[in-house]
C-alpha cells in the first residue's frame, strides 16, 4: 500500500513516513529508514511529524546534538504531528543527559514515569532512559534497579537487557553480563554492540572460540567497528593465530587512526610482528554501555544526513 501511494505521489508525506517506519522495523539502524524521513523532511520542511521522525531516528543512531536541533524545531512548529508529547519529552530528557546534566534529566523522567504506569511499554522505555541517567551519574545501583524494573514491565524491551548486560560488563560480572545480553539478542539479534559486549564477556571467561564467534557476527553487521576488530585481534592472538591477529589490528588501525584504540592496536601489532605477543587475559576488550547504540560506524551516516538536508 505504501509503495502504491508513492507511485501515485512520490512526495506524499504520510507514505514517506510510513515507508521510514517500516524500514526501521525491518532493518533497525539501517540507512533506508532515515533516508525516507529526511526525504519527507526535505519535501515538507514545515511538517512537525517529519521533523519528529528525523529527530528520533538521529537519536537512535547516536547523533544526539543534531537530534536536539530537530526536536527544538519540531516543538516550535504548529501542525500535523500525532506523536505522543511524552515521547518527545523523553527524547528531550536524553538530550539533557548528553549536554552534561543527567540529574536534571532524571528529575524530568521521574514525573513522566509516574504518568505512564498504566502503559507498560512506555513505562519500561522511560525506566531504561532513567537508568541511563543514573549510570551517567555513576549510580550503578539505581541504574541496575531501573533496568530490572524496565524488563519486568516489558520483557520484550531489548534495551533493558542490553543496558543491564553492559552494566554487568562494566562491573566485570561476566556471567550475568552474558545472561542479560543473551536475552537482549533474542529480542533484537541484529545488534552489533550486544554481540560485541557478549564477546567481551566470553573473552574474559576464557571462552575464546565463543568470543571469536560473537566478534565475527558483530563485524558482519558492522564491518567498520574498530572495537570488534581490536577484540577479535586480541582473541586471535590469545589463540595463537598471529597472522589473523596482525590482519585484524591492521584493519582496526586503518579505521580508527588517531584514536586511543589505534594506539592500542599498534602496540599489539608491533608485539605480533616482533614475535613477542602473549595472550591477553584482560584489557584488550572494549566496553560499550550506552543504550543509544552509539558506535563509530554511526558516523558513516553523517554524509547521508548532510546530503539529504541540503
Amino acid at each position: 500500500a505504501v509503495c502504491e501511494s508513492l507511485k501515485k505521489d512520490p512526495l506524499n508525506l504520510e507514505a514517506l513516513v510510513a515507508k521510514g517506519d517500516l524500514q526501521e522495523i525491518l532493518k533497525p539502524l539501517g540507512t533506508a529508514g532515515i533516508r525516507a524521513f529526511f526525504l519527507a523532511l526535505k519535501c515538507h520542511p514545515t511538517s512537525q511529524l517529519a521533523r519528529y521522525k528525523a529527530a528520533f531516528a538521529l537519536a537512535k543512531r547516536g547523533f544526539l546534538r543534531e537530534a536536539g536541533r530537530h526536536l527544538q524545531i519540531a516543538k516550535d512548529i504548529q501542525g500535523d504531528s500525532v506523536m505522543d508529547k511524552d515521547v518527545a519529552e523523553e527524547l528531550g530528557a536524553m538530550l539533557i543527559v548528553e549536554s552534561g546534566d543527567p540529574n536534571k534529566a532524571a528529575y524530568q523522567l521521574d514525573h513522566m514515569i509516574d504518568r505512564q504506569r498504566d502503559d507498560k511499554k512506555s513505562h519500561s522505555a522511560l525506566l531504561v532512559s532513567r537508568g541511563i541517567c543514573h549510570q551517567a551519574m555513576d549510580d550503578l545501583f539505581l541504574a541496575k534497579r531501573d533496568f530490572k524494573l524496565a524488563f519486568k514491565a516489558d520483557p520484550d524491551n531489548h534495551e533493558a537487557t542490553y543496558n543491564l548486560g553492559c552494566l554487568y560488563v562494566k562491573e566485570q560480572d561476566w556471567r550475568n553480563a552474558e545472561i542479560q545480553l543473551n536475552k537482549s539478542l533474542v529480542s533484537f539479534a541484529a545488534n552489533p554492540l550486544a554481540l560485541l559486549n557478549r564477546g567481551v564477556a566470553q573473552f574474559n571467561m576464557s571462552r575464546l572460540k565463543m568470543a571469536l564467534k560473537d566478534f565475527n557476527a558483530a563485524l558482519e553487521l558492522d564491518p567498520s567497528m574498530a572495537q570488534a576488530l581490536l577484540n577479535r585481534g586480541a582473541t586471535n592472538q590469545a589463540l595463537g593465530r598471529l597472522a589473523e591477529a596482525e590482519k585484524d589490528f591492521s584493519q582496526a588501525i586503518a579505521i580508527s587512526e588517531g584514536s586511543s584504540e589505534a594506539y592500542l592496536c599498534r602496540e599489539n601489532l608491533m608485539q605480533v610482528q616482533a614475535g613477542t605477543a602473549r595472550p591477553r587475559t584482560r584489557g584488550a576488550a572494549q566496553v560499550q554501555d550506552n543504550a543509544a547504540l552509539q558506535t563509530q560506524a554511526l558516523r558513516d551516516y553523517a554524509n547521508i544526513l548532510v546530503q539529504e538536508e541540503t
Side-chain angles (χ1 to χ4, degrees):
V2 171
C3 292
E4 289 299 319
S5 296
L6 288 173
K7 283 181 182 178
K8 294 177 183 177
D9 180 6
L11 305 183
N12 181 279
L13 173 64
E14 289 76 14
L16 285 170
V17 168
K19 179 181 177 181
D21 285 338
L22 286 171
Q23 291 294 344
E24 291 287 88
I25 293 170
L26 293 172
K27 193 173 182 181
L29 304 181
T31 60
I34 200 165
R35 280 183 182 275
F37 295 142
F38 269 85
L39 180 58
L41 189 57
K42 185 177 181 179
C43 299
H44 305 275
T46 60
S47 168
Q48 187 184 53
L49 176 61
R51 190 71 64 172
Y52 270 137
K53 290 289 186 178
F56 297 148
L58 285 164
K60 282 171 63 179
R61 290 160 171 81
F63 294 105
L64 297 186
R65 183 173 297 178
E66 189 68 7
R69 185 175 73 82
H70 285 286
L71 181 64
Q72 189 56 53
I73 295 172
K75 288 180 178 178
D76 295 337
I77 295 174
Q78 298 295 323
D80 57 357
S81 176
V82 294
M83 301 200 59
D84 192 334
K85 289 183 178 179
D86 282 333
V87 178
E89 285 184 35
E90 181 188 359
L91 177 57
M94 297 317 297
L95 297 173
I96 292 172
V97 176
E98 177 68 7
S99 70
D101 194 353
N103 225 337
K104 179 180 177 182
Y107 178 77
Q108 181 174 324
L109 287 165
D110 285 342
H111 297 285
M112 297 170 64
I113 287 168
D114 286 338
R115 293 201 307 266
Q116 293 287 347
R117 289 192 181 279
D118 293 333
D119 184 339
K120 296 299 183 183
K121 288 191 176 296
S122 295
H123 186 63
S124 176
L126 290 166
L127 284 165
V128 169
S129 295
R130 190 175 67 183
I132 294 170
C133 293
H134 288 310
Q135 195 161 342
M137 292 185 284
D138 289 325
D139 193 335
L140 300 188
F141 175 81
L142 289 180
K144 194 180 297 183
R145 183 202 64 179
D146 278 343
F147 297 146
K148 288 180 177 180
L149 288 172
F151 176 72
K152 185 177 180 180
D154 178 14
D156 293 327
N157 186 349
H158 67 87
E159 290 190 353
T161 46
Y162 167 76
N163 279 282
L164 185 56
C166 290
L167 191 151
Y168 282 127
V169 169
K170 191 171 185 177
E171 294 180 331
Q172 297 186 2
D173 185 345
W174 310 119
R175 178 57 183 151
N176 278 321
E178 180 194 22
I179 290 170
Q180 296 304 323
L181 291 166
N182 283 345
K183 292 178 182 177
S184 180
L185 286 162
V186 167
S187 300
F188 179 26
N191 183 348
L193 286 178
L195 289 163
L196 171 68
N197 282 290
R198 189 173 69 178
V200 170
Q202 303 285 13
F203 180 89
N204 283 281
M205 290 190 290
S206 299
R207 300 173 183 170
L208 300 184
K209 290 186 178 179
M210 294 176 71
L212 193 64
K213 184 178 179 181
D214 278 341
F215 297 142
N216 284 335
L219 286 163
E220 283 182 15
L221 293 167
D222 183 357
S224 62
M225 185 185 288
Q227 286 94 343
L229 282 165
L230 172 61
N231 291 334
R232 189 173 71 180
T235 307
N236 276 322
Q237 183 176 319
L239 287 167
R241 300 171 179 173
L242 300 189
E244 290 88 343
E246 181 176 350
K247 183 178 178 181
D248 285 335
F249 293 143
S250 296
Q251 289 179 2
I253 287 172
I255 291 171
S256 62
E257 190 60 56
S259 70
S260 59
E261 287 92 349
Y263 290 110
L264 182 55
C265 287
R266 184 173 285 112
E267 176 191 343
N268 281 284
L269 179 57
M270 290 174 66
Q271 290 178 0
V272 171
Q273 291 172 331
T276 59
R278 295 180 180 178
R280 299 172 67 97
T281 57
R282 200 165 285 180
Q286 302 298 306
V287 176
Q288 296 283 340
D289 56 5
N290 194 307
L293 306 181
Q294 296 170 10
T295 172
Q296 180 172 346
L298 298 179
R299 297 173 193 163
D300 295 344
Y301 289 97
N303 291 332
I304 295 171
L305 303 181
V306 170
Q307 290 168 10
E308 295 291 352
E309 271 203 295
T310 56

